[in-house]
Amino acid sequence: MSVLETFAAIVGARHLLTGDEDLAPYLVEERGLFHGRALAVARPGSTAEVAALVTAASAAGIAVVPQGGRTGLCGGGVPLTPEPALVIGTERMDRIRALDPVDFTLTVEAGCVLATLQAAAAAEGCLFPLSLAAEGSCRIGGNIATNAGGTNVLRYGSTRDLVLGLEVVLADGRVWNGLKALRKDNTGYALTQLFIGSEGTLGIITAAVLKLYPQPRERQTALVAIPDPQAALTLLGRARRASGDAVTACELISRRALDFTLRHIPGQREPVETRTPWLVLLELSSSRPGGLREALEEVLAAALEDGTALDAVLAESEAQRAALWRLRETIPEAQKHEGGSIKHDIAVATSRVPELIERATEAVTAALPGVRVVAFGHIGDGNIHFNLSQPEGADKQAFLAEWERINRVVHDVVGEMDGSISAEHGIGRLKVAELARVKPALDLDLMRRIKLALDPDGRMNPGAVLDLG
Amino acid sequence: MSVLETFAAIVGARHLLTGDEDLAPYLVEERGLFHGRALAVARPGSTAEVAALVTAASAAGIAVVPQGGRTGLCGGGVPLTPEPALVIGTERMDRIRALDPVDFTLTVEAGCVLATLQAAAAAEGCLFPLSLAAEGSCRIGGNIATNAGGTNVLRYGSTRDLVLGLEVVLADGRVWNGLKALRKDNTGYALTQLFIGSEGTLGIITAAVLKLYPQPRERQTALVAIPDPQAALTLLGRARRASGDAVTACELISRRALDFTLRHIPGQREPVETRTPWLVLLELSSSRPGGLREALEEVLAAALEDGTALDAVLAESEAQRAALWRLRETIPEAQKHEGGSIKHDIAVATSRVPELIERATEAVTAALPGVRVVAFGHIGDGNIHFNLSQPEGADKQAFLAEWERINRVVHDVVGEMDGSISAEHGIGRLKVAELARVKPALDLDLMRRIKLALDPDGRMNPGAVLDLG
């Protein structure tokens, strides 16, 4: 039996794709940055099938690349491997195995779409807090493998903080059972933590136990015009203290970012009368109704008084709230109308974001005069999407050809500030070389040792995260 | 130069202890369960000194055992090693390097006493939530190395959830710098997570960046008489939802545990009029004042109405609150007056605690007729201290001789329920054999691979957590 026949026998012939046309969607990602190739795509229906596939692939010396919803921004799921690999797509493994509102836990298979999990939790009066732009199609296995961030990290943490247990198929096909709903377990090394964020290079996540929270019953949203990014941090600290730590979003928006959305996105309106160089979108939510509005109003009144805020608008309806969020969420789309954009997903200690923006702006302006900084994002987490639009009238291709040089300029500032060159998107294939450039040799050495300890033949998603040379 | 002279040159002669009398306190733990031996005790004053000590020890083939406040309950810090080891005590490394109330972070050296950190945070209007019985003398390096739990895990998580970054001296003396205040960082494997809870077997933690929270300004405490443990979980869920997830403690107390403290601890009084087989201590706290009392009263009124609660008392003053907590905290002390006690620190999924108590009680009663179950603890985390007092009139030594057999009986029930045999105390040296008995071979294999990848010569705290054979 050929190895393809073995794969087909495991998943059933119609779930093993080998034709060019069938394979095509599995070889690329949305933005067309990577084009892979694959021996085949298998769509297993169970953990046992994943284990059998990995065992067979391992015996044949074939690498495996796991795929979820293919919404990753760094190409971690694109099978761009030295030799053609077997792609393992989790889309058929999409059952919710259990939802326990007493435990506040949700036990799911890796192929569940994030939005489906959010809805299942809500139906039981619970909140699954992970929320991000791709939630309608990304799958939870990929979210966990990349330790996805999103808009609720400030209050609920990254995906890492929402996972209690995992089931993982290892490089040799054995199934590791860490699928436990334990809030406390100090019996040895944190294997679950190691698999989270390892981007499929240490094993394939097949199921997870996730944390739920009480569903918020009150939500208050304000857009605040502020003089500088420091004011956003001051407001955040005051709002956290005043609200019982109920701030669930704190998004910084630069004037230029706002102007871009006002200019290019239909139906957007100037949200506040006072024109300031910066704005911050604050959202508070809690399952204890009453009091949040008052807490937010007090914080804003004091801020308007002492100059921390220069103007503010509170959402009076769900429609107004949606409109405020639309201003923030359409920034990347609006940027496309201004020509090429070179992007950075960077983080520093929250208190140092103002300094980061200042230093990085200085550095890129010196490196590429006329470049237009479009800074926005999760300032409450210290995470800024430091995007750069091309100089007005510049040639788009010539500008984008500067991508790597400008990345290095920005990442060098980040490095000097003890920051991260990938706050929430991961490394994938996009940032492997840059990671190798900026990470200390000792970190890379430790990562290599762990990789080889768990995947000695380098068959799990080779080429992602680490270049083993 | 002898290796001892080298050590002395690194830390200064007066910080290298070698005399029997000087060494004595470093070779034991509080309960006298373990007696170690050591080549010497070094008390370094800096990370560089720790690194130099480890480098010198490594070159001489000498193992190292890190020690914090020596309050661990499983002997992880006792130098009971195959060959006499160098003990590295962190007590001189006790500086707070930074406290940033904007970042809500605290950067500290490993030797800081936990209570000192709580006080430093409070002085800036912040909360460092880790709180446990030994907080007056345990040191944060040990808390991190054992992923300590305590009474605030329900709302703030274990130590793991409170650590943003670490500095670690590795087995070969290199210093790993993960000392970053990043809320988000997806640049490779979760090394910080791996070191947390590894009990000194992968490296020596020398410094950490910790998370702070807004300081609570309102606190409400109730002791509720309930018919069964299930009622505690029902109350917890309702209180979480009603309070904006402000429940910071949920401690189950069995009638027998309460009776023991009433009988043996001076000044204790029956807290509620209705005598029930179980009670639960609920505490809510928030930095948003107002509303918590009302939320708790509503939850209790509804519970008294539908039989979830049979009686309840709310603390009306700080003195009353302290009295309620004293009932819970004096249980272990009271137990001492009832003869020998065989202890278990076990956890299952929160919703399964009632079943755990029932099944474990049945199993131990069958194994040792007349044994008196004293169950209490952090039911909100699924973590019960399932202690067993000797049968009335039994011989203490004969009873304690059953320790390992009874442990196995209880841990087998825990295993059948996908639970943990060490929820918050770790493995240390006490539970190495039991861990090897109950953990799947695959888990032990993965742990061994990781240990050998990071400490190939087995020089970091040998004998703790894992028996490398």
Side-chain angles (χ1 to χ4, degrees), chain A residues 375-389:
Chain A
F376 64 97
H378 321 297
I379 187 170
D381 313 317
N383 173 203
I384 292 297
H385 297 306
F386 191 77
N387 291 358
L388 305 173
S389 280

Side-chain angles (χ1 to χ4, degrees), chain B residues 21 32 46 64 68 198 253 266 317 331 456:
Chain B
E21 211 166 307
S46 67
V64 296
S198 67
I253 303 171
S317 66
I331 295 171

Side-chain angles (χ1 to χ4, degrees), chain A residues 198-218:
Chain A
S198 67
E199 304 191 34
T201 63
L202 301 179
I204 301 177
I205 293 164
T206 50
V209 183
L210 306 169
K211 279 189 209 170
L212 299 176
Y213 285 85
Q215 197 171 29
R217 289 188 292 169
E218 181 179 1

Side-chain angles (χ1 to χ4, degrees), chain B residues 59-305:
Chain B
I62 294 167
V64 296
V65 175
Q67 273 189 5
R70 292 192 297 279
T71 61
L73 295 172
C74 297
V78 178
L80 199 60
T81 50
E83 299 295 323
L86 172 69
V87 171
I88 297 184
T90 58
E91 61 253 52
R92 289 179 58 226
M93 296 174 62
D94 63 351
R95 283 180 315 146
I96 294 178
R97 292 192 192 165
L99 192 159
D100 187 332
V102 173
D103 258 352
F104 285 95
T105 57
L106 184 59
T107 306
V108 303
E109 294 181 350
C112 289
V113 169
L114 175 52
T116 308
L117 301 184
Q118 295 166 342
E124 296 289 332
C126 294
L127 172 74
F128 180 57
L130 187 64
S131 177
L132 43 87
E135 62 197 26
S137 58
C138 64
R139 294 177 190 272
I140 192 68
N143 296 142
I144 298 169
T146 57
N147 186 28
T151 53
N152 283 332
V153 174
L154 184 58
R155 169 66 183 83
Y156 298 101
S158 295
T159 303
R160 177 180 305 290
D161 301 288
L162 302 175
V163 173
L164 288 174
L166 291 180
E167 178 187 80
V168 180
V169 173
L170 303 174
D172 55 13
R174 290 184 296 179
V175 180
W176 177 65
N177 176 16
L179 200 62
K180 300 184 178 186
L182 300 175
R183 304 262 164 186
K184 283 180 171 175
D185 180 22
N186 279 343
T187 57
Y189 303 153
L191 300 173
T192 295
Q193 296 296 330
L194 194 55
F195 291 116
I196 297 170
S198 67
E199 305 190 34
T201 64
L202 301 179
I204 301 176
I205 294 164
T206 49
V209 183
L210 307 168
K211 279 188 207 171
L212 299 176
Y213 285 85
Q215 197 170 29
R217 289 188 293 168
E218 182 179 1
R219 199 156 51 181
Q220 298 294 340
T221 310
L223 187 71
V224 191
I226 51 177
D228 50 40
Q230 185 62 47
L233 296 175
T234 305
L235 275 172
L236 170 61
R238 292 181 189 171
R240 283 188 69 179
R241 291 170 197 276
S243 68
D245 220 5
V247 183
T248 39
C250 178
E251 298 285 313
L252 185 71
I253 303 171
S254 70
R255 167 51 58 177
R256 180 175 280 136
L258 181 62
D259 283 348
F260 281 7
T261 74
L262 295 176
R263 190 179 304 161
H264 299 294
I265 307 294
Q268 303 280 50
R269 297 190 315 183
E270 185 79 50
V272 287
E273 286 185 14
T274 316
R275 195 176 159 85
T276 51
W278 297 92
L279 300 97
V280 61
L281 184 66
L282 272 179
E283 189 161 277
L284 285 63
S285 59
S286 172
S287 69
R288 168 157 62 110
L292 275 195
R293 175 82 180 196
E294 293 71 13
L296 182 55
E297 280 175 351
E298 269 173 43
V299 166
L300 291 178
L304 288 165
E305 185 79 22

